[in-house]
mmCIF file of all heavy atoms in Angstrom:
data_model
loop_
_atom_site.group_PDB
_atom_site.id
_atom_site.type_symbol
_atom_site.label_atom_id
_atom_site.label_comp_id
_atom_site.label_asym_id
_atom_site.label_seq_id
_atom_site.Cartn_x
_atom_site.Cartn_y
_atom_site.Cartn_z
ATOM 1 N N VAL B 67 0.352 -12.984 15.420
ATOM 2 C CA VAL B 67 -0.505 -13.911 16.177
ATOM 3 C C VAL B 67 -0.613 -15.226 15.420
ATOM 4 O O VAL B 67 -0.536 -16.314 15.988
ATOM 5 C CB VAL B 67 -1.899 -13.277 16.377
ATOM 6 C CG1 VAL B 67 -2.837 -14.234 17.058
ATOM 7 C CG2 VAL B 67 -1.781 -11.992 17.148
ATOM 8 N N PHE B 68 -0.757 -15.135 14.091
ATOM 9 C CA PHE B 68 -0.927 -16.375 13.330
ATOM 10 C C PHE B 68 0.334 -17.222 13.391
ATOM 11 O O PHE B 68 0.272 -18.455 13.500
ATOM 12 C CB PHE B 68 -1.269 -16.034 11.875
ATOM 13 C CG PHE B 68 -2.678 -15.542 11.722
ATOM 14 C CD1 PHE B 68 -3.065 -14.859 10.593
ATOM 15 C CD2 PHE B 68 -3.605 -15.744 12.735
ATOM 16 C CE1 PHE B 68 -4.359 -14.401 10.463
ATOM 17 C CE2 PHE B 68 -4.897 -15.277 12.618
ATOM 18 C CZ PHE B 68 -5.276 -14.606 11.475
ATOM 19 N N ASP B 69 1.520 -16.552 13.350
ATOM 20 C CA ASP B 69 2.753 -17.348 13.465
ATOM 21 C C ASP B 69 2.758 -18.082 14.800
ATOM 22 O O ASP B 69 3.068 -19.268 14.875
ATOM 23 C CB ASP B 69 3.974 -16.423 13.367
ATOM 24 C CG ASP B 69 3.992 -15.703 12.030
ATOM 25 O OD1 ASP B 69 3.255 -16.202 11.141
ATOM 26 O OD2 ASP B 69 4.666 -14.689 11.893
ATOM 27 N N PHE B 70 2.358 -17.358 15.871
ATOM 28 C CA PHE B 70 2.355 -17.998 17.190
ATOM 29 C C PHE B 70 1.416 -19.200 17.182
ATOM 30 O O PHE B 70 1.756 -20.303 17.618
ATOM 31 C CB PHE B 70 1.912 -16.971 18.231
ATOM 32 C CG PHE B 70 1.562 -17.553 19.560
ATOM 33 C CD1 PHE B 70 2.543 -18.057 20.394
ATOM 34 C CD2 PHE B 70 0.233 -17.637 19.969
ATOM 35 C CE1 PHE B 70 2.219 -18.616 21.613
ATOM 36 C CE2 PHE B 70 -0.089 -18.194 21.185
ATOM 37 C CZ PHE B 70 0.896 -18.693 22.007
ATOM 38 N N LEU B 71 0.212 -19.002 16.579
ATOM 39 C CA LEU B 71 -0.763 -20.092 16.581
ATOM 40 C C LEU B 71 -0.217 -21.292 15.809
ATOM 41 O O LEU B 71 -0.311 -22.437 16.262
ATOM 42 C CB LEU B 71 -2.069 -19.602 15.954
ATOM 43 C CG LEU B 71 -2.973 -18.765 16.858
ATOM 44 C CD1 LEU B 71 -4.217 -18.320 16.098
ATOM 45 C CD2 LEU B 71 -3.366 -19.561 18.086
ATOM 46 N N SER B 72 0.393 -21.011 14.662
ATOM 47 C CA SER B 72 0.839 -22.168 13.864
ATOM 48 C C SER B 72 2.003 -22.846 14.566
ATOM 49 O O SER B 72 2.150 -24.076 14.462
ATOM 50 C CB SER B 72 1.246 -21.694 12.477
ATOM 51 O OG SER B 72 2.147 -20.632 12.622
ATOM 52 N N SER B 73 2.805 -22.102 15.324
ATOM 53 C CA SER B 73 3.891 -22.794 16.040
ATOM 54 C C SER B 73 3.278 -23.694 17.102
ATOM 55 O O SER B 73 3.763 -24.801 17.351
ATOM 56 C CB SER B 73 4.801 -21.760 16.696
ATOM 57 O OG SER B 73 4.099 -21.152 17.765
ATOM 58 N N TRP B 74 2.156 -23.281 17.709
ATOM 59 C CA TRP B 74 1.509 -24.132 18.706
ATOM 60 C C TRP B 74 0.823 -25.324 18.049
ATOM 61 O O TRP B 74 0.595 -26.346 18.687
ATOM 62 C CB TRP B 74 0.462 -23.323 19.481
ATOM 63 C CG TRP B 74 0.994 -22.851 20.778
ATOM 64 C CD1 TRP B 74 1.640 -21.696 21.031
ATOM 65 C CD2 TRP B 74 0.973 -23.582 22.007
ATOM 66 N NE1 TRP B 74 2.011 -21.655 22.329
ATOM 67 C CE2 TRP B 74 1.617 -22.788 22.963
ATOM 68 C CE3 TRP B 74 0.488 -24.818 22.381
ATOM 69 C CZ2 TRP B 74 1.784 -23.202 24.266
ATOM 70 C CZ3 TRP B 74 0.643 -25.224 23.686
ATOM 71 C CH2 TRP B 74 1.287 -24.418 24.615
ATOM 72 N N GLN B 75 0.493 -25.163 16.753
ATOM 73 C CA GLN B 75 -0.340 -26.197 16.137
ATOM 74 C C GLN B 75 0.349 -27.557 16.188
ATOM 75 O O GLN B 75 -0.292 -28.585 16.378
ATOM 76 C CB GLN B 75 -0.611 -25.802 14.682
ATOM 77 C CG GLN B 75 -1.677 -26.652 14.015
ATOM 78 C CD GLN B 75 -1.815 -26.306 12.553
ATOM 79 O OE1 GLN B 75 -0.972 -25.604 12.013
ATOM 80 N NE2 GLN B 75 -2.854 -26.798 11.920
ATOM 81 N N THR B 76 1.702 -27.565 16.063
ATOM 82 C CA THR B 76 2.383 -28.867 16.006
ATOM 83 C C THR B 76 2.184 -29.623 17.326
ATOM 84 O O THR B 76 2.114 -30.843 17.343
ATOM 85 C CB THR B 76 3.875 -28.637 15.785
ATOM 86 O OG1 THR B 76 4.275 -27.627 16.738
ATOM 87 C CG2 THR B 76 4.108 -28.089 14.389
ATOM 88 N N ARG B 77 2.034 -28.878 18.426
ATOM 89 C CA ARG B 77 1.952 -29.593 19.713
ATOM 90 C C ARG B 77 0.535 -30.072 20.002
ATOM 91 O O ARG B 77 0.331 -30.952 20.824
ATOM 92 C CB ARG B 77 2.384 -28.652 20.844
ATOM 93 C CG ARG B 77 3.850 -28.897 21.271
ATOM 94 C CD ARG B 77 4.337 -27.810 22.178
ATOM 95 N NE ARG B 77 5.022 -26.740 21.459
ATOM 96 C CZ ARG B 77 5.331 -25.581 22.044
ATOM 97 N NH1 ARG B 77 4.961 -25.353 23.273
ATOM 98 N NH2 ARG B 77 5.952 -24.655 21.371
ATOM 99 N N LEU B 78 -0.480 -29.490 19.280
ATOM 100 C CA LEU B 78 -1.858 -29.898 19.593
ATOM 101 C C LEU B 78 -2.081 -31.321 19.102
ATOM 102 O O LEU B 78 -1.626 -31.679 17.998
ATOM 103 C CB LEU B 78 -2.835 -28.968 18.866
ATOM 104 C CG LEU B 78 -3.088 -27.605 19.508
ATOM 105 C CD1 LEU B 78 -3.974 -26.776 18.603
ATOM 106 C CD2 LEU B 78 -3.767 -27.789 20.854
ATOM 107 N N SER B 79 -2.787 -32.103 19.871
ATOM 108 C CA SER B 79 -3.053 -33.452 19.369
ATOM 109 C C SER B 79 -4.443 -33.499 18.764
ATOM 110 O O SER B 79 -4.636 -33.966 17.647
ATOM 111 C CB SER B 79 -2.984 -34.440 20.546
ATOM 112 O OG SER B 79 -4.052 -34.085 21.435
ATOM 113 N N TYR B 80 -5.454 -32.904 19.476
ATOM 114 C CA TYR B 80 -6.822 -33.109 19.006
ATOM 115 C C TYR B 80 -7.176 -32.089 17.910
ATOM 116 O O TYR B 80 -7.547 -32.450 16.803
ATOM 117 C CB TYR B 80 -7.798 -32.959 20.193
ATOM 118 C CG TYR B 80 -9.241 -32.917 19.735
ATOM 119 C CD1 TYR B 80 -9.842 -34.033 19.174
ATOM 120 C CD2 TYR B 80 -9.969 -31.736 19.804
ATOM 121 C CE1 TYR B 80 -11.139 -33.986 18.725
ATOM 122 C CE2 TYR B 80 -11.271 -31.695 19.355
ATOM 123 C CZ TYR B 80 -11.844 -32.817 18.823
ATOM 124 O OH TYR B 80 -13.130 -32.767 18.380
ATOM 125 N N GLY B 81 -7.011 -30.769 18.194
ATOM 126 C CA GLY B 81 -7.568 -29.762 17.300
ATOM 127 C C GLY B 81 -6.642 -29.356 16.171
ATOM 128 O O GLY B 81 -6.833 -28.317 15.555
ATOM 129 N N ARG B 82 -5.630 -30.207 15.848
ATOM 130 C CA ARG B 82 -4.632 -29.712 14.876
ATOM 131 C C ARG B 82 -5.294 -29.390 13.541
ATOM 132 O O ARG B 82 -4.981 -28.407 12.898
ATOM 133 C CB ARG B 82 -3.564 -30.792 14.685
ATOM 134 C CG ARG B 82 -2.542 -30.443 13.618
ATOM 135 C CD ARG B 82 -1.408 -31.424 13.596
ATOM 136 N NE ARG B 82 -0.784 -31.586 14.909
ATOM 137 C CZ ARG B 82 -0.557 -32.800 15.446
ATOM 138 N NH1 ARG B 82 -0.907 -33.886 14.794
ATOM 139 N NH2 ARG B 82 -0.005 -32.907 16.626
ATOM 140 N N VAL B 83 -6.274 -30.195 13.141
ATOM 141 C CA VAL B 83 -6.836 -30.023 11.800
ATOM 142 C C VAL B 83 -7.638 -28.732 11.729
ATOM 143 O O VAL B 83 -7.809 -28.152 10.664
ATOM 144 C CB VAL B 83 -7.759 -31.234 11.498
ATOM 145 C CG1 VAL B 83 -8.354 -31.101 10.119
ATOM 146 C CG2 VAL B 83 -6.992 -32.530 11.655
ATOM 147 N N TYR B 84 -8.106 -28.243 12.892
ATOM 148 C CA TYR B 84 -9.126 -27.197 12.803
ATOM 149 C C TYR B 84 -8.573 -25.789 12.883
ATOM 150 O O TYR B 84 -9.337 -24.842 12.871
ATOM 151 C CB TYR B 84 -10.163 -27.416 13.916
ATOM 152 C CG TYR B 84 -10.882 -28.709 13.696
ATOM 153 C CD1 TYR B 84 -10.818 -29.728 14.628
ATOM 154 C CD2 TYR B 84 -11.573 -28.937 12.508
ATOM 155 C CE1 TYR B 84 -11.455 -30.927 14.388
ATOM 156 C CE2 TYR B 84 -12.202 -30.138 12.265
ATOM 157 C CZ TYR B 84 -12.133 -31.135 13.212
ATOM 158 O OH TYR B 84 -12.744 -32.327 12.968
ATOM 159 N N LEU B 85 -7.262 -25.616 12.954
ATOM 160 C CA LEU B 85 -6.745 -24.241 12.973
ATOM 161 C C LEU B 85 -7.065 -23.513 11.663
ATOM 162 O O LEU B 85 -7.557 -22.384 11.691
ATOM 163 C CB LEU B 85 -5.230 -24.253 13.235
ATOM 164 C CG LEU B 85 -4.651 -22.855 13.439
ATOM 165 C CD1 LEU B 85 -5.269 -22.207 14.663
ATOM 166 C CD2 LEU B 85 -3.156 -22.889 13.567
ATOM 167 N N PRO B 86 -6.865 -24.129 10.490
ATOM 168 C CA PRO B 86 -7.253 -23.419 9.258
ATOM 169 C C PRO B 86 -8.728 -23.042 9.245
ATOM 170 O O PRO B 86 -9.091 -21.966 8.777
ATOM 171 C CB PRO B 86 -6.940 -24.425 8.159
ATOM 172 C CG PRO B 86 -5.960 -25.360 8.742
ATOM 173 C CD PRO B 86 -6.224 -25.403 10.207
ATOM 174 N N VAL B 87 -9.581 -23.896 9.825
ATOM 175 C CA VAL B 87 -11.015 -23.558 9.831
ATOM 176 C C VAL B 87 -11.219 -22.293 10.651
ATOM 177 O O VAL B 87 -11.940 -21.374 10.254
ATOM 178 C CB VAL B 87 -11.820 -24.742 10.424
ATOM 179 C CG1 VAL B 87 -13.266 -24.364 10.592
ATOM 180 C CG2 VAL B 87 -11.674 -25.960 9.546
ATOM 181 N N ILE B 88 -10.510 -22.207 11.773
ATOM 182 C CA ILE B 88 -10.669 -21.009 12.618
ATOM 183 C C ILE B 88 -10.223 -19.776 11.847
ATOM 184 O O ILE B 88 -10.882 -18.725 11.843
ATOM 185 C CB ILE B 88 -9.857 -21.196 13.909
ATOM 186 C CG1 ILE B 88 -10.441 -22.329 14.747
ATOM 187 C CG2 ILE B 88 -9.817 -19.920 14.707
ATOM 188 C CD1 ILE B 88 -9.582 -22.714 15.920
#
Side-chain angles (χ1 to χ4, degrees):
Chain B
V67 176
F68 286 163
D69 299 343
F70 167 71
L71 281 179
S72 51
S73 70
W74 262 90
Q75 191 185 12
T76 48
R77 261 169 266 169
L78 280 175
S79 64
Y80 170 67
R82 175 172 306 131
V83 180
Y84 296 119
L85 187 62
V87 173
I88 294 171

